[in-house]
Amino acid sequence: MGCTPPFLIPQAKYFVARVPFTEGDADAARRSMACHKTQYSEEEIARITEAAKRVYAGVLPLVPAFGSDATADLLPSRKQKQ
């Protein structure tokens, strides 16, 4: 099992994308777990999604794959096209 890469968590300073999400987004995420019904019970899905809502507190912190300024939008280029 020496081929398994370590689980690394980036330093907080690299989480420059902080994307807010609504209660409706959290509900949609819970519904999307339906495809995992053979892996998780309804109770487990409820616990997972409730825990995620508490941990993230309405903001999903992300580390961009490429250098980026701080942002709250995953697709900023879409605003430029409108």
Side-chain angles (χ1 to χ4, degrees), residues 21 44-57:
F21 64 90
E44 290 171 316
I45 290 172
R47 284 197 330 259
I48 290 167
T49 54
E50 286 303 313
K53 286 191 324 191
R54 281 192 311 275
V55 168
Y56 293 126

Side-chain angles (χ1 to χ4, degrees), residues 13-18 62-64 66-74 76:
K13 67 182 179 180
Y14 295 114
F15 286 87
V16 296
R18 303 187 62 75
L62 301 169
V63 177
F66 305 101
S68 173
D69 293 329
T71 186
D73 191 349
L74 289 179

